[in-house]
Each structure stands twice: as C-alpha cells, then as structure tokens.
Amino acid sequence: MENQKKYFPGQRYVVVFLLFLFMVINFADKAIFGLVAVPLMEELAIGPQQFGTIAGSFFFLFAISGIVVGFVSNTVSSRLLLVGLVIIWSVAQVPIAMGASTIIALMACRILLGVGEGPAYPLALHACYKWFPDQERTWPTAIVMQGGQVGMLLAGPLVGYLTISHGWRSVFWVTAAAGLMWLVVWALLGKDGPISANPVPAVGKSKPQSRCSYRDVLLNRSFIGNLLMYWVAYWCAALVFTWLPAYLQRGLNFSSDTAGWLFSLCIFVAIPIVSGGSYLSNRFLRQGYSSRVARSLVTVGFLLAGALCLLAAAYLKPGPTAGIVLIALGLSFPQVGFVLCSAISAQISPIEKRGSTLAITNSLSTTAGLVAPIVMGRLIQAEPGLAGFHQGFALTAVLLLLGAVLGFVLVDPSRTLSQIQAKAGSSVSGSASV
C-alpha cells in the first residue's frame, strides 16, 4: 500500500493548480520561438531549413535530461526538482532577449531551454500522482496537461502585441519574468504529496523489495506500443509550436497580429478535445471497461481522427478557413495521447519506478520534436509556399495512421500489469492497480 500522510483535503487541488501554471509557462516558452519565426528569420536573414535546425536543437538534450531527472525523481523531492527546472528556463530566455543573433548562440539558448524543459511534463505528473491514486488520475493529468494548451493559447495574442509594440525580443523577457514569479508562489505553497514512493514498513517487518526490473516494464509490448502512440502525438505538438505560426503567415499570408490570434484559436480547439477524450476515458473506466478500451483504444481513435483531418487538409484543397480548421483539428486530436499514454505508463509501472518510467516514456517520445521541425523545414525549403506545408502535414498523417495501428495491436495495459505483477509477486506496489 502507498504511504498516506495527513494533509488538508484541498491542498492537492492547490498543487494541481500550481502544476497547471507550471505547464502554462513551460509551453509558452516552447511556443514563442515559433511565434516570432517570421520576424526573427527576416531580421537575422535565416532560411526555413536553418530555422528548422535551430528549432529542432531544443530537443538535442531534451530526452537525455528528461531521463536523468526522471531517475533522480525516484529519490529526490519533486518540489525541489521543479524549482531547478524553472530557474533553467528563465536563464535560457535572457540571452535572446538581450540580443543573441548568431545561429550558434540561438541554438545554445534553445538547447539549454530543452535541458530545463525535458523533464518538466513527466515530473509535473509525478508530483501530481503523489496526491491521487491510479483510479483518480485521469482528470488531474488532463488539468496539468491543459496548462500547456493554455500557455500556447495565451502566447499567440501576447506575442503579437509585444512584437508590434516592443519588438520580438521583448517576448523572451516576459517569459523569463513569468518563471521567476511562479517560483515565488511555489516556494510558499508547493508540497510533495502523501502518496509516497517509499512506504514505511510495519514494525518488525522489512520493506518489501520489488523484483520487477526496468526490462520488465520497458520491453513489454504495451510499453512499446504506447511509446509509439506518444511519439506520433509529440510529432504533432512539435509542429504546433514551431511551424504552425509560420504556416499561418507564410502559407496563408496572414499578418503577424492576425496569425497570433488564429494560432490561439487553433490551440483553443485542443482544450475541449483533450478534455472530451479524458472524460470519455474516465467514463469507460467507471463503467467497468478495461484500460485497453478506456485508455489505449480511445487514444487510437483520436490518432485516426487526426490523420483523417490532416489528409483532408493536404489533398482536398479546402479554402483558408476550412484549411485552418482541419489543420487545427488534425494537430489537436492526437494530443489526447499526452494524457492517456502517460496514464498507461504510470499504470504498468511499480511506484518505486514510476517517476523514471514516466520520464523515459516522455523523453523517448520527444525525440519526435527533434526530427519534426527539421523535416518540415526541409520540405518547405524544397517546395516554398503552401505546397511544402501540405507535404509535411500529409507525412504527419501517415505517421499517425502507423501509430494508431501499432497501438491497436500492441497495447493492453491490464494484461501487461498482470504479467508484471505475476513476475514480481506480492511485492509489486499497489499503485499499479487499475
């Protein structure tokens, strides 16, 4: 059983709200580089392929950092680790705000930002899961994840206003300051939750040791299929915060200010979609459906919906309004995977390995963010205008279809959990129960 401490009942919701704000800043930091893409490329004479490489550099150490901090989070306070990450974010924004202009300098800042943000989402979930047992995690996970959507939603009009009024570099000052403000509030109100990874054994009894190895958790078919679904979902997310603003400006010829508002509207679409997918999953669980249905098959369905929308946008040649709607839907449907794939990873992992398992899942999936901006940049460089963007969206649709098929075939969390528990015996933590 997970060790329970006494905290006042509302405290876990305070922590969830702070983690929500944490993700707001996290994704705003990611989004602003794409939102200033056009003025940045024009001022610094950078082409699409070079910009794609700089944007992709954000992920050079993203996965490594995520995995390292994930293992550390098994034994070190999540509260303290979150503080360290936000300090890195804020520091990484300052050189660009102060005038960094070479490709090397921009890449260095983005790589440092990636180091700080690589562990952010899985660590936020790990901190959140210390307050909620498995059967109650879908909604808190959705709230934390939606912080990312809200961060990008706010970033659109904010970046448009700041770019016009104070220049595009001012945006980086604002996000750096937002991180420091969050740190002050977190220092006052943030706490680690009562569901401990280190249960206290009864008097006279030694602490049971799990015989479940990382090999058991990471090399089973459910983990692999779940990872592939998460990977294609992250490919879509990477395109959102690196190339979607440029698509609106260079592909559809909207002004910077209008593109900012349209970007926010595109992001807004994801909020009811992810909330609806989370609600559907939670409803299925409450009705007694297995996690294969409630989590993996729901994710498969949303991946398929995203693929169909992107294919329609790429090949049916809709007008600008219909095209924006289809692209927004196509890139938003797969993001349900951020919630449900994380829940699957937590479900099949014993609690003493949960932090690192979440980090490994997230970090490996984010390698899609290293590849997606570069591939899209090369397609746009080779085929300027709308055609290059449409080729990139068609490729994304193919990846979503492959992810959906493999997820359908491979992922069965309940069966995997039973196999892991059978091997580990009664020593497997009760946190893995469904």
Side-chain angles (χ1 to χ4, degrees), residues 381-427:
Q381 187 89 20
E383 193 80 31
L386 211 52
F389 284 103
H390 283 170
Q391 287 183 15
F393 293 138
L395 173 61
T396 301
V398 172
L399 294 174
L400 289 173
L401 290 171
L402 288 174
V405 170
L406 292 173
F408 178 82
V409 171
L410 297 176
V411 182
D412 189 342
S414 298
R415 182 177 64 181
T416 296
L417 176 63
S418 298
Q419 293 170 345
I420 291 176
Q421 286 179 328
K423 184 170 184 177
S426 61
S427 62

Side-chain angles (χ1 to χ4, degrees), residues 7 26 54 117 141 151 160 167 174 187 217 241 261 265 310 360 368 403-404 422:
Y7 290 122
N26 177 279
I54 297 170
E117 296 200 348
T141 301
V174 172
V217 177
F241 54 73
W261 283 101
L265 289 174
L310 292 177
I360 290 169

Side-chain angles (χ1 to χ4, degrees), residues 129-209:
Y129 292 168
K130 291 181 179 182
W131 292 91
F132 297 88
D134 180 74
Q135 66 271 19
E136 297 180 19
R137 286 174 183 163
T138 300
W139 274 113
T141 301
I143 292 171
V144 174
M145 185 268 172
Q146 294 285 29
Q149 306 298 333
V150 173
M152 292 191 290
L153 181 68
L154 296 176
L158 179 64
V159 169
Y161 167 75
L162 291 173
T163 299
I164 293 171
S165 302
H166 305 286
W168 62 269
R169 292 187 187 272
S170 65
V171 178
F172 294 89
W173 282 120
V174 172
T175 53
L180 295 177
M181 291 172 63
W182 183 90
L183 280 177
V184 174
V185 180
W186 180 252
L188 295 173
L189 301 177
K191 290 183 180 294
D192 284 318
I195 301 178
S196 171
N198 298 299
V200 178
V203 176
K205 296 183 179 181
S206 61
K207 177 183 173 181
Q209 296 297 318

Side-chain angles (χ1 to χ4, degrees), residues 6-28:
K6 298 289 186 182
Y7 290 122
F8 67 86
Q11 189 164 21
R12 63 180 185 172
Y13 298 107
V14 173
V15 172
V16 168
F17 178 67
L18 291 176
L19 293 173
F20 167 84
L21 294 178
F22 173 85
M23 293 305 298
V24 169
I25 301 169
N26 177 279
F27 270 75

